[in-house]
Amino acid sequence: MTVPATHDIAIWGIAALATAGVVVRPFKLPEATWAVAGAALLVVLGLLPSADALRAIGKGGEVYLFLTGMMLLSEIARRDGVFDWVAAIAVNAARGSPARLFALVYAIGIVVTTFLSNDATAVVLTPAVFAAAKTARAEPLPYLFICAFIANAASFVLPISNPANLVLYGNHVPPLAQWLGSFALPSLAAIGATYLALRWVEGKRLGSVCAARVDQPKLSPGGRTALGGIVLTAIVLTAVSAFDVPLGWPTLAMGVLTAATALVRERAAPWPVLKAISWPVLPLVAGLFVLVEAVDSTGVTAALAAALRSGAETSITATGAVAGGLLALGSNLINNLPAGLIASTAIAQAQPPRQVVDALLIGVDLGPNLSITGSLATILWLTAIRREGVDVGFVRFLKVGAVVMPPALMLAIGVRLALG
């Protein structure tokens, strides 16, 4: 009895320390350093067989492909001035009103998240929003916060709105009509509550005026190609999701095709684009999957499945509310992608009612708005704003998230459970 207990305690200890490293970033080392170090330590100490670690890394295959495609799209768009072009449109449409600019950025964030995913909002939209704020000579952080929070708040409008949706449902999402029946109203509740709370928290920082008119730059041939590639990618992902096709390869293909076409049109070398991409995000995801595989080996998934099964037999509504809330909090401890993977395995074992599964999905999608480590989208957002010379610490984000996330989560889960 002592050996298994010691084994499990060691796994939980290493996982906790690695997660703390991702959150705190000691010595300012990238988040990926701590996730990969924790995963490697588990294997070196014999706490997780190397075969199991490799299998865990393989589970993130679709996510790696998806992220690579999105990062290619983002970098080629940044390089060819698409963000500056979009920024000028937004500033001119706001006509000198910071409140109108705030609402406009929020609306664009909803569209991007819905049709391109929350990771795309973090990677593609964030640089454009920073450019818009800079162009408008406004304080950028309130507008940048929009990108972080709407990326999760709108991430269950459609199945493609968040890779975590595919993880939780084991790549077998419900038909689109059933999905909309379950999540259309909860999504509206989450989006509305998030807007009101974020607008209230950041209202004083918006100021009373911003630039009313700026020159609209012209898009270069490469910029037009990048913009067209982003729009076409949204169409392709919406189409393939309707046929239950994994999103990884289509996203990568569109990213490569767009980047290659833009570079050929301008006769430019690909190396500067490839060098500018935030590649450490990929080992970060891999490390998180390995950490979760080790934690899962301690029996936590079986215990969660038993609790779900027992709770659903007593009260579906109470179980959905409690399970969704706990998973929302848990996603902030280990990130929502691995949390969704644990939940997916527990769901497969427990087979709870659909209302409970849907509440869990809302928890894994919306709960990460509490902290900077809650979702991959938020970590990508941090990477994007750091490239622009802006940084947000754990406590600073938590102060906003503690106000914004809880009402949206309670409303969304409450609406879903009320639908029956």
Side-chain angles (χ1 to χ4, degrees):
M1 295 296 291
T2 302
V3 175
T6 303
H7 178 275
D8 293 351
I9 290 172
I11 288 176
W12 279 96
I14 291 173
L17 288 173
T19 303
V22 172
V23 173
V24 180
R25 294 177 65 234
F27 313 113
K28 299 298 182 181
L29 292 174
E31 290 88 352
T33 302
W34 305 102
V36 171
L41 189 59
L42 288 169
V43 175
V44 169
L45 295 180
L47 298 171
L48 182 70
S50 57
D52 291 349
L54 290 174
R55 185 173 65 251
I57 293 172
K59 290 178 181 179
E62 286 296 314
V63 179
Y64 311 143
L65 296 172
F66 184 88
L67 288 176
T68 301
M70 283 299 172
M71 289 190 292
L72 276 170
L73 283 171
S74 174
E75 184 54 33
I76 203 68
R78 185 199 64 78
R79 174 186 177 277
D80 289 323
V82 174
F83 298 148
D84 294 331
W85 181 79
V86 172
I89 291 176
V91 172
N92 291 333
R95 301 193 300 276
S97 169
R100 192 178 291 117
L101 182 60
F102 189 92
L104 183 61
V105 169
Y106 197 86
I108 295 172
I110 295 171
V111 174
V112 174
T113 300
T114 298
F115 295 104
L116 279 174
S117 89
N118 62 340
D119 294 335
T121 297
V123 174
V124 176
L125 183 61
T126 299
V129 169
F130 179 84
K134 184 178 179 180
T135 300
R137 297 187 292 277
E139 165 64 38
L141 196 54
Y143 304 99
L144 292 173
F145 270 135
I146 293 174
C147 299
F149 285 97
I150 193 56
N152 294 318
S155 66
F156 50 99
V157 176
L158 294 177
I160 63 171
S161 303
N162 190 341
N165 297 340
L166 309 181
V167 171
L168 189 132
Y169 279 104
N171 291 326
H172 296 289
V173 299
L176 187 58
Q178 180 181 318
W179 182 280
L180 293 175
S182 295
F183 295 114
L185 290 178
S187 291
L188 286 175
I191 291 169
T194 300
Y195 175 82
L196 292 175
L198 189 58
R199 180 69 175 79
W200 180 73
V201 171
E202 294 296 317
K204 293 181 180 179
R205 295 167 60 90
L206 289 179
S208 59
V209 68
C210 63
R213 185 74 187 174
V214 297
D215 292 334
Q216 180 67 52
K218 292 184 178 181
L219 276 180
S220 66
R224 291 194 294 272
T225 300
L227 181 62
I230 291 172
V231 173
L232 186 58
T233 299
I235 296 171
V236 169
L237 294 185
T238 303
V240 299
S241 70
F243 295 97
D244 197 23
V245 175
L247 303 179
W249 282 111
T251 308
L252 179 62
M254 290 304 303
V256 171
L257 178 62
T258 301
T261 303
L263 291 170
V264 168
R265 290 189 69 176
E266 297 185 349
R267 298 180 180 179
W271 315 122
V273 173
L274 294 175
K275 184 179 179 180
I277 289 176
S278 301
W279 295 112
V281 168
L282 302 182
L284 168 64
V285 175
L288 290 173
F289 272 94
V290 173
L291 292 172
V292 168
E293 184 74 15
V295 170
D296 184 41
S297 70
T298 66
V300 66
T301 302
L304 290 174
L308 276 179
R309 191 182 305 111
S310 175
E313 292 173 354
T314 302
S315 172
I316 293 176
T317 301
T319 300
V322 172
L326 290 176
L327 185 56
L329 294 175
S331 294
N332 290 280
L333 298 176
I334 61 172
N335 190 268
N336 70 336
L337 275 178
L341 186 61
I342 291 176
S344 175
T345 306
I347 289 168
Q349 295 178 15
Q351 296 293 312
R354 196 178 79 192
Q355 298 98 306
V356 175
V357 178
D358 291 349
L360 287 169
L361 181 122
I362 293 172
V364 84
D365 279 8
L366 190 54
N369 265 349
L370 182 63
S371 72
I372 57 175
T373 55
S375 74
L376 181 59
T378 311
I379 294 174
L380 290 169
W381 172 80
L382 276 174
T383 301
I385 66 173
R386 285 170 186 159
R387 289 183 62 180
E388 308 294 348
V390 182
D391 199 2
V392 175
F394 181 83
V395 175
R396 175 72 178 87
F397 193 97
L398 184 63
K399 287 180 179 179
V400 180
V403 176
V404 175
M405 188 278 281
L409 178 70
M410 289 187 286
L411 272 174
I413 291 181
V415 169
R416 174 60 192 96
L417 294 174
L419 292 174

